[in-house]
Amino acid sequence: MENPSEETPARWRGLPSWLLSQTANHAHRLVGDGFSAVGARGYHYRLLATLEQSGPASQAALGRRSGIHLSDMVAAINELADGGLVERAPDPFDRRRNIVSLTAAGKRQLRRLEKRLAEIQEELLAPLSPEERGQLTELLSRLVDHHNRRTGTPEESWR
């Protein structure tokens, strides 16, 4: 399809659910491509940001705080550890578990990812004024909060 909007039935184009899905697809692609361009993934950003905000933690605690399923945690932490962005050390109170902490290199990478994420937000929201961006963020936050409360579902993640 050269121009998807020409192929999309008009009755769909006016549905908020369809518009949100299309925007989410664009956002997901932009974030994925943007992070990939700097050798990272969304999980990397989320883990680094969580560690900076909450401090060192076990893999299980990191999974809960970042919303990353434990089955994905080990691979993501391995990738970050291989890059020297996080360190694992045995928990002094429970040798069966590791404590993950952010390194200086991890903090620098987090700053790079935050800069890239800001550029991505600019690209995604380019047609909107600053006021419209604030309104959109407020409205989307209300929708997400409402549905998370109703379903008990955590926020969906970037991978």
Side-chain angles (χ1 to χ4, degrees), residues 21-38:
S21 294
Q22 295 306 300
T23 303
N25 288 339
H26 291 297
H28 186 74
R29 179 185 47 78
L30 290 170
V31 169
D33 291 350
F35 282 167
S36 179
V38 293

Side-chain angles (χ1 to χ4, degrees), residues 7 9 17 24 33-34 38 45-46 50 66 81-82 86-87 94 97 100 103 113 120 122 124 130 135 138 141-142 151:
E7 300 286 329
S17 57
D33 291 350
V38 293
Y45 170 76
R46 289 172 54 199
T50 300
S66 66
D82 290 347
V86 300
E87 292 178 338
D94 184 350
R97 91 183 161 176
V100 181
T103 65
L113 295 178
I120 292 164
E122 285 297 317
L124 178 66
Q135 290 172 335
E138 153 60 25
S141 295
R142 283 175 44 198
T151 64

Side-chain angles (χ1 to χ4, degrees), residues 92-108:
F93 301 106
D94 184 350
R95 294 279 187 201
R96 294 170 295 171
R97 91 183 161 176
N98 287 317
I99 298 295
V100 181
S101 58
L102 190 60
T103 65
K107 288 179 185 179
R108 288 190 299 275

Side-chain angles (χ1 to χ4, degrees), residues 17-157:
S17 57
W18 187 85
L19 293 166
L20 286 168
S21 294
Q22 295 306 300
T23 303
N25 288 339
H26 291 297
H28 186 74
R29 179 185 47 78
L30 290 170
V31 169
D33 291 350
F35 282 167
S36 179
V38 293
R41 297 187 303 130
Y43 278 174
H44 296 164
Y45 170 76
R46 289 172 54 199
L47 286 169
L48 295 172
T50 300
L51 283 167
E52 183 179 61
Q53 181 176 329
S54 301
S58 69
Q59 290 178 179
L62 271 176
R64 285 189 302 275
R65 291 176 188 159
S66 66
I68 299 172
H69 195 276
L70 288 177
S71 65
D72 296 319
M73 282 294 295
V74 174
I77 290 173
N78 284 345
E79 291 166 359
L80 294 172
D82 290 347
L85 305 176
V86 300
E87 292 178 338
R88 283 194 205 111
D91 184 333
F93 301 106
D94 184 350
R95 294 279 187 201
R96 294 170 295 171
R97 91 183 161 176
N98 287 317
I99 298 295
V100 181
S101 58
L102 190 60
T103 65
K107 288 179 185 179
R108 288 190 299 275
Q109 176 70 346
L110 179 57
R111 297 290 88 77
R112 284 189 289 273
L113 295 178
E114 288 173 334
K115 181 177 186 246
R116 188 67 189 115
L117 195 52
E119 294 166 354
I120 292 164
Q121 302 308 301
E122 285 297 317
E123 184 176 349
L124 178 66
L125 302 174
L128 303 178
S129 71
E131 295 79 23
E132 289 170 324
R133 292 174 185 201
Q135 290 172 335
L136 177 63
T137 301
E138 153 60 25
L139 292 170
L140 291 172
S141 295
R142 283 175 44 198
L143 286 171
V144 168
D145 290 346
H146 170 78
H147 290 287
N148 282 348
R149 279 193 307 273
R150 286 186 62 219
T151 64
T153 304
E155 295 175 15
E156 184 53 32
S157 62

